[in-house]
Amino acid sequence: MNKSSAVIKNDRYLKTCIKNEVIKKIPIFDSYRKFCNKVGQDAMKYPDFEFWYYRFYHGRRDFNYDRSMDPVPKTIMDIPVKLMYKITENLDPVERAYLRSMNKSIKDIADSHAPIFDSIKIFVSDDLLYWHLNDKLFACLKTANGCEFHAPKGSVIKSDKSIMNKSLEYLVPLFKIPNIQVNHLSLSFYDESVLDGFLSTQFHAKSVKISTTIKTLSLRLLSAMTPGQVESIYMESLHTIDGEIVLRYYETEQFKQAKHIISTFNQFESCELIRDNIRGEALNRTIGLALGAEIPFGPLWKTITHRYQIPKSNEFLEFTIEDKGRNYSIKIFKIR
């Protein structure tokens, strides 16, 4: 068989595959996915597939139609920039995050809008990884041969990748969006083996909640937060924490700069931090030293008070650390 006859045969075969999908009444997007899995991703571009699919769908099923005289089809890039900006303005942050992956021009338009998420929640275990972006749920479930990715509106993608590798395809680009802002970030981790993929990403959030059953994991997750942006930190460690870990927590840049944010926040008046004392340890000295308080030698005090002067100001933050037996209370008041 010469080269030209092979091309003709291949062309007829591809169109026959498309026609069979139309006859079976398979929706076009599912048809194209099956088509690519069968003949290869590069066999036919989607616009060409779409043309033949709808031609066959409307009953015109000859294979010899000459498209050379057809007008050049319009693409999304033919939309005026002002109109594209208006369209992307009406999308939510999740929709814009997907749109920006199409090409550089659309990416630049999508990035011109401040990407603000009210809430992002991520849950990780050995056989399940899911996340909420505002009110939209995404999930990766472990299977015998890889995983299943479930997107909003019920679409499912099967993959031979691990739940972590598949999830990071979506999460890493998300957190690399320029100027991304997250008001409330919640991280629940119950499998340390998948952590390394997340620690390669820097999280930007005002408020963060970290929950884990694995010792020291909360500190590692806290280190992934962008220092200076975290205003509120909530640690829910479902395991026993010793005094050394508590001291390391208060020495992190995230905690130190969160304290600094409090001191420069004009509307701040007061707050209270509660730390459970499951093992009955005397941690008021440890916490006080981490805050820079002067702790006298001798018997441990039940209450320690420390004043921190706000830089370039006559105002102070007063820290009162109180041992209540079952927990420690750290009360912070602004004093003018």
Side-chain angles (χ1 to χ4, degrees):
M1 182 181 296
N2 60 38
K3 184 176 180 179
S4 60
S5 60
V7 171
I8 293 173
K9 181 178 180 180
N10 182 59
D11 183 68
R12 292 187 64 84
Y13 173 72
L14 296 179
K15 293 172 183 175
T16 299
C17 292
I18 299 172
K19 186 175 73 171
N20 289 338
E21 294 295 296
V22 173
I23 293 173
K24 294 176 183 178
K25 298 182 179 180
I26 306 297
I28 186 169
F29 294 115
D30 293 334
S31 296
Y32 187 64
R33 188 180 297 114
K34 288 176 59 181
F35 176 83
C36 291
N37 290 337
K38 184 175 183 179
V39 301
Q41 297 291 329
D42 300 326
M44 183 181 292
K45 294 181 179 180
Y46 179 79
D48 295 323
F49 180 92
E50 183 182 56
F51 172 84
W52 290 107
Y53 180 95
Y54 283 116
R55 182 174 176 81
F56 297 151
Y57 179 84
H58 291 293
R60 299 187 292 273
R61 298 185 177 178
D62 58 292
F63 289 177
N64 300 319
Y65 176 77
D66 184 6
R67 298 186 62 195
S68 62
M69 300 303 293
D70 288 351
V72 177
K74 298 291 185 180
T75 69
I76 192 172
M77 297 311 301
D78 294 309
I79 299 177
V81 174
K82 288 185 178 180
L83 180 57
M84 179 63 74
Y85 183 87
K86 191 65 178 178
I87 293 173
T88 55
E89 186 179 44
N90 292 313
L91 300 177
D92 65 33
V94 182
E95 293 166 334
R96 283 201 294 268
Y98 281 112
L99 189 64
R100 70 190 300 273
S101 65
M102 295 181 63
N103 62 45
K104 186 180 185 304
S105 298
I106 295 179
K107 175 177 174 292
D108 291 340
I109 295 174
D111 289 346
S112 64
H113 304 282
I116 302 175
F117 291 85
D118 181 61
S119 173
I120 294 181
K121 300 177 182 179
I122 303 175
F123 175 94
V124 180
S125 68
D126 62 340
D127 59 357
L128 172 63
L129 197 159
Y130 68 81
W131 61 96
H132 285 88
L133 303 181
N134 291 341
D135 59 347
K136 292 182 171 61
L137 173 63
F138 303 79
C140 259
L141 287 71
K142 187 176 182 180
T143 62
N145 300 316
C147 70
E148 285 185 353
F149 174 70
H150 295 252
K153 299 182 180 179
S155 60
V156 179
I157 299 174
K158 294 184 178 181
S159 172
D160 58 359
K161 297 181 179 180
S162 68
I163 59 172
M164 173 54 68
N165 289 337
K166 188 62 180 176
S167 298
L168 288 177
E169 290 181 3
Y170 300 90
L171 289 172
V172 170
L174 173 69
F175 283 99
K176 287 186 176 180
I177 296 176
N179 302 317
I180 184 174
Q181 299 176 38
V182 183
N183 291 330
H184 306 286
L185 175 64
S186 175
L187 302 176
S188 300
F189 275 68
Y190 304 100
D191 181 9
E192 193 169 17
S193 65
V194 300
L195 184 62
D196 290 341
F198 273 92
L199 292 184
S200 63
T201 298
Q202 194 75 30
F203 296 96
H204 310 277
K206 289 185 178 180
S207 170
V208 59
K209 176 182 178 182
I210 298 174
S211 177
T212 179
T213 57
I214 304 168
K215 194 173 183 179
T216 74
L217 185 54
S218 55
L219 279 171
R220 297 182 67 192
L221 287 170
L222 183 60
S223 68
M225 302 300 114
T226 303
Q229 293 190 359
V230 181
E231 298 177 7
S232 172
I233 303 171
Y234 179 84
M235 310 288 280
E236 185 179 39
S237 299
L238 306 179
H239 57 82
T240 302
I241 301 180
D242 55 36
E244 180 184 355
I245 293 178
V246 173
L247 182 59
R248 288 170 57 192
Y249 163 69
Y250 287 111
E251 290 177 343
T252 62
E253 284 300 312
Q254 286 75 14
F255 174 78
K256 290 178 181 178
Q257 294 199 36
K259 180 178 69 175
H260 179 69
I261 289 170
I262 289 175
S263 71
T264 57
F265 181 41
N266 293 331
Q267 286 74 37
F268 175 80
E269 294 295 334
S270 66
C271 72
E272 182 176 8
L273 310 175
I274 302 294
R275 195 278 184 187
D276 290 334
N277 189 20
I278 300 173
R279 297 175 63 181
E281 299 172 291
L283 297 178
N284 53 348
R285 182 186 295 276
T286 301
I287 297 172
L289 288 172
L291 288 172
E294 293 185 5
I295 310 297
F297 290 100
L300 291 175
W301 295 8
K302 290 290 185 181
T303 302
I304 295 174
T305 301
H306 170 65
R307 282 195 175 186
Y308 167 80
Q309 184 171 3
I310 298 173
K312 300 179 181 180
S313 170
N314 293 324
E315 299 177 342
F316 292 82
L317 293 180
E318 184 174 89
F319 292 79
T320 302
I321 309 162
E322 185 177 359
D323 179 357
K324 294 186 175 182
R326 297 184 62 180
N327 58 52
Y328 282 89
S329 166
I330 306 175
K331 297 179 180 178
I332 308 173
F333 294 91
K334 178 178 279 189
I335 299 177
R336 292 179 169 84

